[in-house]
């Protein structure tokens, strides 16, 4: 194991363009199917028999072939086969669909360069080392290292909508100074050394090792290595945009691509309903075993004391022999195994499929703007939507739109408000054009215009923008919509550049890392050479660029969260003043950012280059080494100022949060924003109720102080708790239990400045309390860990992409849809499943209860009172369709009522509708009805059993037919009493089920060789039996009717409630 693990961690060495040993390399074949034609039946049946109930019925079926003929083996075999065949058919069709999709992908035509010539092959035949050609608007077939681009700047744009759903373009670059030679199809080629493929879409470590022929290219000496990062990697699933032709070297193919690694199932979640279903099944099995044991002991007593006194029964058997004991016990077990409803699992799956269909096709959960319906990725959690009591929510992009607008800035010790094309000084009321600002303010805006990674998209074949020559050209420039073509990885960066452009400082793009800025109305051209980009990360909370201006001065510009920028700035009064202004911005709910810069000497730049190059060629710990390298230059910064961006709230977010709180949900907002910003957004969206008792725990890390603070707050009956990231770290480490106890008493909790890992840890902390069902909702990749950790993960297909939606159990387009998802679909799904399971158990109790009562009158001989036909069709035809359809469609309240009265969600909590108390009441109802049915029938036949028109007496088969007739009628008509939402189709299904019973029985009774021959003909022509059927059915349903009337009299129905036909 250790050797294998070590081997799997060895770096990959791939020769560029090589063809040797191609047969031994992994192909680019994608396989998402679970089965092949040979493995389908054995694997599928194996997976099904892993269910304990299925395996139990298999054993019972096998045994039934070897014991006496108490009951036909087909009674166990047919339902088992029916359920398994339906399940296998469903999975087989799904797998066939996946197979067809795989074939389309694997046979797509691609162009590769082999031996210096282009060849067109099927995508599945690409191997690592192949040079793959991708043209504009083409999809990348596997993971490629970009080695050549038709663009002059040796870059290409890609859209990753198929990968993570993000619609903005990203830039992929050829490794610095690398030139793809025409000789790369021959021996002695360059080699790519990289880490084995991982599921992380946002990291890649590797290097290109150059051979001796590189000297001829003017790149460097033999053995030199060029670093490879994620910026050089074209991932499978991305689409090339704005570039006529690119060439890349295949490194990860087929199932080893990052896309396929992310497509695999990451975990298994089970609904809390599984607990009560299992509990009911165990109760039925225990009940069945008790009945079997009691009946078997009585049967032994009869064998010993009664049977010898009845010589007409023949010689008594040796009831003490091992085989006889085994056979007698199993005879009872076979007779009553019908008490365990195996087909319930099939009906539950059917209910879940329809529940998924209802959510997917709900127009109220469809967003026309993005063409996004509700998507269900885990239908086994449908009913869990009705059980949530803790909701964890991201803020940016979830409660807000993540659509940024540059509204304020603080520079030159003044607070400015951006108004169209000028700045308003809020202190003096003066208005300033860009050219009228002092030099310090102009430097600030120049810094905003260059400290970013935004690209300007040019369509293929489009000519570069000509330089304007006058002030009037400004409108021409904006008319060309250059700003609309900004492609940014962050909406913050795009908003800042749009703000600068509105003031007249327009970023025009870059060519070969030469950034071009144009200032209006002077039409002054500025150029900066970009030397390095120090990437942003959630851990660093900042990004920097190193530039050389036109005078040759080297500058480092850095922007990010004030908590990351201020500690790296020189001490000055400006830091305190800016921090004070940032706090004011945050109190308005604005997103803030600080900006600073410093100069670098040539020597400092050279030292940084050496450290960065060394760190960037390492395959292990590369990120940590690069972060250490960044720290060497991001020091002694001069603070320039701060910006404030506005992020508008999502539509109806306040109403949604209020409704969910009224429904009993406690809402936690987990965000990376600073406390003041998040707090004011919380007030604006009504997450924090006005006038509530609010408590803050900020910047507290000492365990003793934390414990004291928690106890102090707990004694004040808190309603709102606000905590920051530093404190959360200490709380999770030192006092997790006390923190959870306190937080769970609050209506709302706000946690700020959190990392993605901290979000997940908080969810885990609450999830482990067992008493709460948690849901997490977010829209970004940083929310994935939180979404996957919660009992229910809900993704929003937002501006940060679809990665959260792809990894979630449910996906919606807007936060406001959560209200309907929980209050309507969650309510209905919980109510319907509880009814489905309870009714299943009830109907099985009726039919097996009559069999148990019959044993009293057949010397406990384990004789089946019903004809085998009835047992075969009872679960499948006689009653299953009618009550399953009702379970799928029933509504205890109308949709409008559930939305108007969120408090109706509360009674569902902790599966109260399927508690053991409710289960026992249903079982009691089943026992009462089976007693009524059996003894009504027994009394009718006991003395005078001449019931037929011809004067014949009723036979044993007539007795069983009378019982099953009442059971089918009562079971179906009971649905009329328990249903809250009855449609004409429901009524039709009920009476169609009764008619199906009568038709199948009539047809079977025509078979001259059958046990029921002519029995039903006589039954349906007998007036006494029709009268018996009516009276017995009414007697069974009368108690239910009275209970329904009483319940409806005392049922609290909200105003405007509608549940009708």
């Amino acid at each position: 194991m250790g050797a294998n693990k070590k081997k799997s961690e060895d770096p990959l060495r791939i020769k560029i363009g090589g063809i040797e040993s191609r047969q031994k390399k992994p192909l680019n074949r994608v396989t998402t199917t679970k089965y092949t034609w040979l493995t389908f039946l054995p694997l599928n049946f194996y997976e099904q028999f892993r269910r304990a109930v299925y395996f139990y019925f298999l054993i019972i079926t096998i045994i039934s072939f070897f014991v006496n003929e108490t009951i036909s083996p087909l009674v166990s075999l047919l339902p088992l086969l029916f359920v398994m065949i339906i399940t296998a058919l469903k999975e087989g069709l799904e797998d066939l669909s996946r197979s067809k999709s795989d074939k389309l992908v694997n046979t797509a035509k691609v162009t590769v360069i082999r031996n210096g010539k282009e060849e067109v092959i099927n995508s599945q035949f690409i191997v690592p080392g192949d040079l793959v050609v991708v043209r504009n608007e083409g999809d990348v077939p596997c993971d490629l290292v970009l080695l050549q681009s038709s663009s002059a700047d040796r870059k290409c744009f890609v859209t990753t909508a198929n990968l993570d759903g993000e619609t903005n373009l990203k830039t992929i670059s050829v490794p610095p100074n690398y030139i793809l030679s025409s000789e790369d199809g021959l021996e002695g080629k360059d080699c790519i050394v990289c880490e084995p493929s991982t599921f992380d879409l946002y990291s890649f470590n590797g290097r290109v090792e150059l051979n001796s022929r590189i000297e001829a290219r003017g790149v460097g000496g033999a053995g030199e290595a060029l670093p490879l990062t994620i910026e050089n990697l074209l991932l499978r699933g991305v689409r090339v945009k704005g570039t006529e032709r690119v060439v890349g070297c295949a490194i990860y193919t087929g199932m080893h691509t990052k896309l396929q690694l992310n497509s695999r199932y990451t975990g298994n979640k089970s609904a809390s309903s599984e607990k009560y279903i299992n509990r009911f099944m165990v109760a039925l099995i225990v009940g069945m075993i008790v009945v079997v044991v009691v009946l078997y002991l009585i049967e032994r007593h009869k064998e010993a004391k009664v049977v010898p006194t009845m010589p007409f029964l023949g010689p008594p058997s040796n009831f003490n022999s091992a085989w006889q004991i085994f056979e007698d016990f199993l005879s009872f077990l076979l007779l009553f195994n019908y008490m365990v409803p195996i087909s319930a699992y099939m009906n539950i799956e059917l209910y879940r499929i329809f529940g998924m269909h209802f959510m997917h096709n709900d127009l109220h959960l469809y967003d026309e703007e993005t063409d996004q319906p509700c998507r269900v990725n885990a239908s086994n959690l449908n009913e869990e939507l009705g059980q949530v009591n803790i909701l964890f929510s991201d803020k940016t992009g979830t409660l807000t739109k993540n659509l940024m607008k540059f509204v304020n800035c603080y520079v030159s010790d003044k607070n400015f408000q951006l108004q169209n094309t000028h700045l308003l000084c809020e202190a003096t009321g003066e208005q300033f054009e860009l050219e009228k600002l002092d030099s310090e303010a102009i430097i600030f805006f120049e810094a905003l215009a260059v400290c970013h990674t935004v690209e300007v998209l040019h369509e293929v074949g489009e000519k570069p923008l000509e330089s304007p020559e006058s002030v009037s050209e400004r409108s021409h420039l904006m008319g060309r919509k250059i700003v609309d073509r900004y492609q940014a990885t962050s909406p913050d960066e795009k908003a800042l550049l749009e703000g600068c452009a509105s003031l007249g400082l327009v970023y025009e793009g870059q060519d070969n890392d030469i950034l071009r800025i144009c200032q209006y109305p002077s039409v002054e051209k500025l150029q900066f050479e970009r030397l390095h980009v120090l990437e942003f990360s959630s851990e660093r909370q900042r990004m920097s660029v190193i530039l050389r201006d036109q005078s040759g001065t080297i500058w480092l510009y850095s922007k990010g969260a004030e908590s990351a920028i201020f500690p790296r700035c020189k001490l000055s009064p400006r830091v305190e003043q800016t921090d004070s202004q940032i706090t004011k911005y945050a109190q308005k709910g604005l997103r803030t950012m600080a900006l600073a810069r410093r100069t670098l000497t040539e020597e400092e730049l050279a030292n940084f280059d050496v450290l960065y190059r060394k760190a960037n060629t390492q395959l292990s710990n590369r990120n940590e080494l690069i972060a250490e390298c960044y720290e060497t230059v991001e020091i002694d910064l001069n603070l320039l100022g701060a910006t404030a961006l506005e992020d508008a709230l999502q539509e109806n977010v306040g109403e949604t949060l209020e409704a969910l709180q009224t429904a009993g949900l406690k809402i936690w907002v987990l965000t990376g924003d600073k406390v003041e910003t998040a707090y004011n957004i919380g007030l604006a969206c009504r997450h924090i109720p006005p006038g509530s008792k609010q408590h803050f725990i900020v910047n507290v890390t000492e365990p003793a102080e934390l414990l004291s603070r928690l106890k102090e707050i707990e004694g004040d009956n808190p309603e709102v708790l606000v905590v920051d990231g530093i404190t959360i770290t200490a709380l999770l480490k030192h006092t997790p239990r006390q923190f959870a106890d306190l937080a769970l008493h609050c209506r709302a909790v706000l946690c700020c400045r959190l990392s993605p890992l901290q979000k997940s840890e908080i969810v885990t902390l609450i999830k482990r309390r067992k008493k709460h069902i948690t849901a997490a909702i977010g829209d970004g990749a940083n929310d994935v860990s939180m979404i996957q950790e919660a009992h229910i993960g809900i993704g929003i297909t937002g501006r940060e992409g679809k990665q959260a939606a792809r990894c979630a159990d449910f996906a919606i387009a807007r936060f406001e849809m959560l209200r309907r998802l929980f209050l309507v679909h969650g309510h209905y799904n919980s109510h319907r499943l509880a009814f489905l399971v309870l009714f299943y158990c009830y109907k099985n109790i009726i039919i097996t209860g009559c069999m148990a009562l019959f044993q009293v009158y057949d010397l406990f001989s384990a004789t089946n009172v019903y004809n085998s036909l009835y047992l075969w069709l009872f679960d499948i035809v006689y009653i299953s369709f009618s009550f399953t359809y009702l379970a799928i469609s029933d509504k205890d309240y109308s949709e409008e009522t559930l939305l108007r009265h969120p408090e109706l969600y509360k009674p569902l909590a902790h599966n109260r509708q399927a508690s053991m108390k409710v289960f026992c009441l249903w079982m009691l109802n089943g026992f009462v009805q089976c007693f009524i049915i059996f003894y009504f029938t027994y009394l009718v036949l006991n003395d005078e059993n001449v019931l037929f028109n011809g004067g014949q007496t009723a036979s044993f088969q007539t007795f069983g037919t009378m019982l099953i007739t009442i059971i089918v009628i009562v079971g179906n008509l009971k649905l009329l009493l328990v249903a809250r939402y009855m449609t004409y189709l429901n009524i039709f299904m009920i009476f169609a089920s009764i008619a199906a019973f009568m038709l199948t029985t009539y047809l079977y009774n025509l078979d001259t060789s059958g046990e029921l021959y002519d029995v039903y003909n006589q039954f349906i022509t007998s007036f006494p039996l029709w009268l018996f059927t009516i009276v017995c059915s009414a007697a069974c349903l009368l108690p239910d009717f009275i209970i329904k009337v009483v319940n409806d009299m005392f049922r609290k129905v909200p105003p405007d409630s509608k549940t009708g036909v």
Side-chain angles (χ1 to χ4, degrees), residues 773-827:
I773 301 298
T774 61
I777 183 169
D779 74 315
N782 61 328
D783 302 317
V784 169
S785 57
M786 171 180 75
I787 287 171
Q788 291 184 329
E789 181 61 32
H791 291 99
I792 303 174
I794 304 166
I796 292 181
T797 50
R799 294 182 179 274
E800 292 190 26
K802 293 184 180 177
Q803 188 169 354
R806 291 177 190 273
C807 297
D809 305 306
F810 301 87
I812 54 179
R814 298 192 305 275
F815 184 83
E816 65 175 323
M817 295 177 179
L818 197 63
R819 180 181 183 183
R820 185 175 181 85
L821 191 67
F822 282 170
L823 302 187
V824 176
H825 290 284
H827 184 105

Side-chain angles (χ1 to χ4, degrees), residues 258-517:
K258 288 179 177 284
L259 174 63
Q260 290 306 125
L261 293 179
N262 275 271
S263 299
R264 295 181 179 176
Y265 190 56
T266 55
N268 182 37
K269 296 182 181 180
S270 60
S272 58
S273 60
E274 296 288 342
K275 295 181 181 178
Y276 73 72
I277 292 173
N278 291 336
R279 200 160 52 234
F280 294 168
M281 292 299 171
V282 169
L284 290 176
I285 292 172
V286 170
M288 179 189 68
I289 293 173
V290 170
V291 170
V292 167
V293 170
V294 170
L295 291 177
Y296 170 70
L297 293 177
I298 296 174
E299 190 258 353
R300 284 184 59 81
H301 171 76
K302 295 289 184 181
E303 286 278 358
K305 304 295 183 182
V306 179
V307 172
T309 66
M310 300 178 176
F312 55 85
L313 293 178
S317 60
N318 183 12
F319 59 87
N320 286 320
S321 69
W323 173 253
Q324 192 63 44
I325 293 173
F326 177 74
E327 186 178 23
D328 290 346
F329 183 81
L330 288 180
S331 295
F332 282 111
L333 192 62
L334 288 172
L335 186 65
F336 292 102
N337 80 83
Y338 208 82
M339 190 181 291
V340 182
I342 182 175
S343 56
Y345 288 98
M346 183 188 69
N347 287 50
I348 289 171
E349 290 302 318
L350 188 65
Y351 134 82
R352 285 171 173 164
I353 290 171
F354 273 91
M356 176 175 65
H357 173 78
F358 292 150
M359 285 184 274
H360 182 73
N361 291 280
D362 187 345
L363 291 179
H364 296 284
L365 298 181
Y366 171 75
D367 183 57
E368 188 173 1
E369 181 182 352
T370 59
D371 190 32
Q372 290 292 333
C374 173
R375 298 202 178 276
V376 180
N377 300 325
S379 61
N380 64 308
L381 299 178
N382 289 354
E383 61 274 13
E384 204 76 340
L385 292 170
Q387 300 299 316
V388 178
N389 40 43
I390 303 287
L391 174 65
F392 297 97
S393 175
D394 177 40
K395 182 185 76 67
T396 304
T398 303
L399 302 180
T400 61
K401 292 183 178 179
N402 202 17
L403 188 62
M404 305 300 173
K405 182 182 178 183
F406 189 0
V407 291
N408 283 96
C409 63
Y410 183 77
V411 59
S412 301
D413 302 327
K414 295 178 182 177
N415 175 35
F416 293 99
Q417 182 181 357
L418 180 62
Q419 294 185 340
N420 296 325
T421 60
H422 61 268
L423 293 168
L424 173 68
C425 180
E426 295 189 349
T428 63
E430 295 180 82
Q431 292 186 354
F432 294 89
E433 299 287 341
L434 181 65
E435 64 272 11
K436 294 181 180 179
L437 294 171
D438 58 35
S439 58
E440 190 174 353
I442 292 176
I443 289 172
F444 172 80
F445 284 103
E446 286 180 359
L448 290 178
V450 297
C451 186
H452 58 78
T453 56
V454 175
E455 298 285 350
V456 179
L457 175 64
H458 295 287
E459 297 296 332
V460 175
E462 180 182 1
K463 294 181 180 179
L465 188 68
E466 296 179 1
S467 301
E469 299 296 337
S470 63
V471 178
S472 63
E473 289 295 318
R474 177 180 177 184
S475 60
H476 169 70
L477 179 69
M478 301 306 288
R480 293 290 296 271
K481 297 183 178 179
I482 191 170
V483 173
D484 292 340
R485 286 188 270 167
Y486 286 162
Q487 297 295 326
T489 57
S490 162
D492 302 58
E493 287 193 334
K494 186 175 182 181
L496 292 173
L497 282 186
E498 288 172 344
C500 291
S502 67
L503 292 172
L505 194 63
V506 181
Y507 169 66
E508 295 183 332
Q510 59 90 22
D511 295 308
N512 296 320
D513 281 329
I514 302 299
L515 309 184
R516 293 179 283 107
I517 312 294

